[in-house]
Amino acid sequence: MEEKQKTVDQVMLDRMKEIKVETMYDRYQAQLPQCGYGSLALCCRHCNYGPCNIDPFGNGPKKGVCGADANTFAARHYLRMNGAGTACHSDHARAAAHLLVATARGEAPGYRIKDVDKLMMVAECFGVKTKDRKINEIAEEVGEMALMEFGKPYGTLLFLKRAPEARQKIWEKLGIAPRAIDREVTESLHRTGMGGDQDYRNLTKQSMRVALADGWGGCMIATELQDIMFGTPKPVQGRSNLGVMKKDHINIVVHGHEPQLAEAIVLASGDPDVIKATHATGAKGLVIAGLCCTANELLVRHGIPMAGHMTIQEGAIATGVVELMVVDIQCVMQALAETAKHFHTKIVTTLSKAKIDGAEHVEFSDEHALEAAKKIIMMAIDNYKNRDNNKVFIPSSAEPNLIAGFSHETIKYMLGGRFRASYRPLNDNIINGRIRGVVGIAGCTSPRAGACDQNYVNLVRELIANNILVVATGCAAGQCASGGLMIPELKDECGKGLREVCEAVGIPPVLHSGACVDNSRILIACSEMAKEGGLGNDISDLPVAGACLEWMSEKAIAIGQFFVASGIYIVFGMNSPVAGAPDMQRLLTKEMEDLVGARWDFERDLKKIGKMMMDHIEKKRDALGINTAKERKLYDMAERRALERECKPVPGHH
Ligand code: MSK
């Protein structure tokens, strides 16, 4: 590949190879071939009769010692993945709820209630009285109600009623409306233990229920409460990729998921002592940059630069200019401590529930957040003198001026206007065919997909050229941001209809909606589109789809499953997590549609995924009767491209 065609991340990976700093790509290669039984979900080690394996070719054992078959093996694994993913997002949400209570009580200096409108909306949802009450009183009760959602003994989750009525009825009929979040996670572990639930269909019903507890519980609580405290995202300018780091500045990278740490670091960076100490080193200033979902949270709310996504976390250290990387929890690799040994970078953990051998630890709490943040920044400033300029390598970067910050409220406001904010214009543009449909891209980046770093970028280019509006979250959004896709000028790569809408409304065709927990924003946007009318009466009627091309985390599985259980067709790239169990695979990819009106697809050939989603969108448009006589013809890809050529060819990038 020509040097000029390489992405910034690829340039950094080459550099790391050259200076012999190991990366996740090296370790992935060292793992090959990976365990076939594990890959197919045909290894069970839930009890000490095992590990038991089932032979996928039918020549060896067909059952475990207890008699469990392949479908039970796979369904148990699948449920544990959904339970673990839900636990991650939801424990994060619990921390946000505790912080809201502490903030309201005045016990968390530095934090405050920023979005009162959102507080009132959540209060109404939770049945909290607002009339003649002080903001802090309302916030305290909202926080406490949110905490009750984790362990209440009776009833189902309060946010479920934000879904269209038709969807709520499906959940009730199937018995998958989630109860308390912790109850669903605990029951998932209980049912998957030896001698528990041994019917793959029944286990998968619980997978749907626990995943719904994630989407409409953990994720939604995290998003809404964080918006209340840190602000609901609005369009904001930002920069992205490793080029955001500056040679003549002190650089601090904030990595992980829970924004309270990052928000405190940003706040403390303005402290006069910090500014004075920074100048005393001779550095020109302080750069705070985000990684992974912390980066998404900071970017969509404040326009704080994003250093990159999951697979480039070691690369950030290899720039040689990072004085300190501070982490909280989730998607933080143990390898960082080893990478840091090649440079002067300090790795600092902050949560007692997430430590790394070899890292320094500064405990972070709501009550002493600013003190801890200031201490961490001072550690970085002190470490500046240890930087070795011979090791500095910041890949050149266009540092595109991207626009992020598209909460569902913003999308509604931009489309419908300040005084009649509504999804009507979006629905109308879908009905008249200018926009064919909407696709959400979410989830991880992975070395399994190769080091090409362009899979999401290529998918998005194909979708927007075919008049599909794209909403992005998580590391998928991170790759698109680093790939220069979140700029208004991208409208020139759109099909004619989408381009007209983007120009009229002033939005880019790829909307960055935030972190992984912010997939809850997509649930609400879809619910509002369904309620607005003209596109059916349930989420499953909408011409929408979702994809995760490079899934890695159990969280990605929970996200995919809550979208499917909410009525949205989802395609995951690479391998199915239940591939070794044909009945279980059929349940996810076919029969689930009869249950919840949507299903999964798993596709190894990532190039096919765009067409799969566009075909699905056209199928939904046909069912709605909104394809005009001319448009009713289902074009194949070659025909679609020929059609769009009259608009503008898709230029290369980089
Ligand atoms: S950080 S879960 S690699 S999206 Fe949310 Fe990225 Fe996947 Fe972690």
Side-chain angles (χ1 to χ4, degrees), residues 257 292-293 310 331 443-444 474-475 516 552-553 555:
H257 277 75
C292 275
C293 274
M310 176 73 198
C331 303
C444 323
C475 289
C516 296
M552 167 279 294
S553 173
K555 292 178 286 172

